[in-house]
């Protein structure tokens, strides 16, 4: 049975929506990975300490926006812990901006330190790169972490607005696209190719991995995404 004109239109729409959602999700994942790779390279000095898991940079900020970098200090011991930290923030053409401080965290609790970044901290064209060192004491060893933020100017939107809209469009595009694809596949007695379903699943996993800071799996998933799109 030949597909009707309406069915053909739905087939085209389903594919456009699905691949738009996949592309947006893939771009978000690549931006997060790129931020991390640039920050790692920027601050690499040959000596590496155990990772500090609490550092979080915004994915993107606008040129006129002040971004907030969060450092969450968690005390897993049964004694009060005093964290002494030293943060470095990139600056174009000059030495990095230094921020030092200390924070006391009661046993079994968390405390957050916030650092501000803006367009004045951009280096390497459009990156804001942050490194935090935690000095050792009797309760914890030296730790370090890096993270990065991309400066993006889109229609005057803030970084959070851009990220949120992109994330929503990605999930909606893939969900609605697959639903329409499934509907048109049923009407034409054909099945959705397994590689298409796998592609959507892999992109979702890649976004989740970058959100969790699992960089190696995220890179593998992005490479797999490219391979599936080529197929």
């Amino acid at each position: 049975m030949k597909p009707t004109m309406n069915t053909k239109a739905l087939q085209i729409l389903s594919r456009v929506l699905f691949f738009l959602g996949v592309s947006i999700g893939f771009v978000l994942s690549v931006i997060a990975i790129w931020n991390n790779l640039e920050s790692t390279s920027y601050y690499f000095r040959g000596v590496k300490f155990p990772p500090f898991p609490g550092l979080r940079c915004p994915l993107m900020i606008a040129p006129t926006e002040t971004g907030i970098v969060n450092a969450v200090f968690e005390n897993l011991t049964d004694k009060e812990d005093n964290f002494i930290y030293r943060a470095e923030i990139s600056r174009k053409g000059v030495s990095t901006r230094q921020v030092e401080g200390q924070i006391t965290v009661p046993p079994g609790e968390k405390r957050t330190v916030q650092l501000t970044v803006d367009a004045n901290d951009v280096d390497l064209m459009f990156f804001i790169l942050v490194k935090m060192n935690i000095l050792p004491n009797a309760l914890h060893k030296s730790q370090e972490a890096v993270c990065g933020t991309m400066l993006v100017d889109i229609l005057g939107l803030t970084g959070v607005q851009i990220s949120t809209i992109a994330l929503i469009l990605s999930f909606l595009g893939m969900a609605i696209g697959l639903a329409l694809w499934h509907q048109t596949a049923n009407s034409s007695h054909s099945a959705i190719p397994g590689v298409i379903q796998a592609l959507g699943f892999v992109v979702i996993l890649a976004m989740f991995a970058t959100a969790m800071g699992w960089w190696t799996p995220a890179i593998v998933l992005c490479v797999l995404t490219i391979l599936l799109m080529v197929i």
Side-chain angles (χ1 to χ4, degrees), residues 75-83 104-109 138-139:
N75 182 3
L76 299 175
T77 72
D78 57 358
K79 298 179 180 179
E80 185 176 83
D81 198 351
N82 185 41
F83 291 88
T104 300
V105 183
E109 295 189 19
L139 296 178

Side-chain angles (χ1 to χ4, degrees), residues 28-159:
L28 286 175
S29 300
V30 169
I31 289 174
I33 292 170
W34 196 1
N35 287 344
N36 178 259
L37 292 176
E38 289 291 351
S39 60
T40 300
S41 174
Y42 192 81
Y43 290 109
F44 181 72
R45 288 161 190 155
V47 178
K48 191 170 181 63
F49 296 107
F52 168 61
L55 188 65
R56 292 289 183 271
C57 285
L59 181 66
M60 296 176 274
I61 66 168
T64 58
E65 183 184 1
T66 297
I68 302 297
V69 177
N70 289 300
V72 180
F73 296 87
E74 183 175 10
N75 182 3
L76 299 175
T77 72
D78 57 358
K79 298 179 180 179
E80 185 176 83
D81 198 351
N82 185 41
F83 291 88
I84 300 175
Y85 62 86
R86 185 178 299 142
E88 295 180 62
I89 302 172
S90 59
R91 278 286 170 114
K92 186 175 181 179
V94 297
S95 59
T96 57
R97 176 161 64 94
Q98 308 284 324
V99 179
E100 298 182 357
Q102 62 181 30
I103 185 169
T104 300
V105 183
E109 295 189 19
K110 299 178 181 180
R111 293 290 186 273
T112 301
V113 170
Q114 293 187 328
L115 308 175
T116 59
V117 295
D118 57 37
N120 294 317
D121 298 311
V122 169
D123 200 2
L124 305 180
M125 296 181 65
F126 41 74
F127 290 103
I128 298 171
L129 307 164
V130 180
K131 180 178 182 179
M132 179 165 285
N133 288 296
I134 313 299
L135 276 60
N137 63 17
L139 296 178
H140 62 257
K141 299 179 181 180
S142 295
Q143 300 176 66
E144 68 176 16
V146 296
C147 65
T149 297
M150 184 176 287
L151 194 73
V152 178
D153 189 6
I154 300 179
L155 301 175
L157 298 172
T158 67

Side-chain angles (χ1 to χ4, degrees), residues 17 27 105 109 161 163 168 189 198 200:
L17 289 175
V27 169
V105 183
E109 295 189 19
Q161 290 171 335
S163 301
I168 292 172
H189 303 289

Side-chain angles (χ1 to χ4, degrees), residues 21-35 59-60 159 162-171 203 206-207 210-211 215 222:
V22 164
S23 299
I24 293 173
F26 177 72
V27 169
L28 286 175
S29 300
V30 169
I31 289 174
I33 292 170
W34 196 1
N35 287 344
L59 181 66
M60 296 176 274
I162 296 170
S163 301
T164 303
I165 291 171
L167 192 62
I168 292 172
L169 289 176
S170 177
F171 281 113
V203 170
M207 288 191 286
T210 56
W215 301 113
C222 282

